Amino acid sequence: MPRTWQRALADGALDDKPLLVGTTRDESTAFFAFNPRIRNLTATAALDLLTAQIGRQTALGVYQQHAARLPQATPAQIFTAVQTDVVFRDGSLEVADHHAVGGNTTYVYQFDCAPAEDPHALGATHCAELSFLFNSFDAFSGSPVLAGAGDAQRALGREFATAVAEFVAAGTTSDWPPYAPATAAGIRHFG
């Protein structure tokens, strides 16, 4: 059965509407960084978990692809990177591709800013961009996602918030090219 967003796309729910969609670079670290069962995964155990989720052939292929891209990574870090793609990034790009192919204005971002101090290796984890978007650094100053945040992070927050606000107000942005389907062209990286 298709997911709700897949049905909505097929039914044309977003047709003729501009779309802004994005993810953080390391979405899944927030869910796995503190889990000892995940932190202690072997390559075999990681592949077994992925096989149960996406099938053996796909699991093996994506695990090897991520392992090659991240040669110093542990099996847990590779598993987590795969989860970021499977659970967050792939679906977002599928929506963006479908929307852009239909001739609709589409903008895609990836938030890449990792905390200056990152002892838990969270990187640019799930929801990391929200304090940048809403300038709520002070409200969450104790968060490991914002550790070491300073002037550069606040400037990035203003840049990100300005781009999002411009999209919300006008359905377009002045310095961000629309997304090109099935390519990395037009994905704006923040941080």
Side-chain angles (χ1 to χ4, degrees):
M1 170 174 268
R3 296 178 187 172
T4 303
W5 59 265
Q6 289 169 322
R7 284 193 307 271
L9 285 175
D11 292 345
L14 295 177
D15 289 353
D16 301 320
K17 294 175 181 73
L19 174 69
L20 171 66
V21 64
T23 62
T24 62
R25 184 190 64 217
D26 308 302
E27 287 279 357
S28 294
T29 57
F31 304 102
F32 300 120
F34 304 102
N35 183 332
R37 287 183 27 205
I38 300 298
R39 280 196 322 252
N40 297 319
L41 281 176
T42 63
T44 300
L47 277 169
D48 288 346
L49 286 172
L50 292 171
T51 295
Q53 182 181 15
I54 57 178
R56 186 65 179 173
Q57 285 305 109
T58 302
L60 188 56
V62 296
Y63 186 89
Q64 290 172 339
Q65 175 188 15
H66 282 77
R69 184 176 61 83
L70 305 166
Q72 303 302 317
T74 66
Q77 291 166 326
I78 295 166
F79 172 82
T80 301
V82 171
Q83 290 302 303
T84 289
D85 287 352
V86 169
V87 176
F88 294 98
R89 187 168 297 116
D90 294 348
S92 295
L93 291 176
E94 186 177 335
V95 169
D97 287 341
H98 180 278
H99 200 63
V101 164
N104 300 291
T105 302
T106 307
Y107 295 95
V108 177
Y109 74 83
Q110 180 173 299
F111 195 82
D112 298 324
C113 186
E117 301 162 17
D118 196 8
H120 306 292
L122 293 172
T125 195
H126 185 69
C127 293
E129 78 274 33
L130 295 181
S131 287
F132 291 79
L133 179 62
F134 297 113
N135 190 24
S136 58
F137 294 98
D138 296 336
F140 300 100
S141 61
S143 170
V145 173
L146 299 174
D151 292 341
Q153 288 76 17
R154 289 178 188 276
L156 176 62
R158 285 189 297 278
E159 176 188 348
F160 182 54
T162 298
V164 171
E166 189 175 327
F167 173 82
V168 169
T172 187
T173 64
S174 60
D175 64 345
W176 182 354
Y179 176 71
T183 71
I187 296 177
R188 183 164 178 186
H189 291 263
F190 288 94

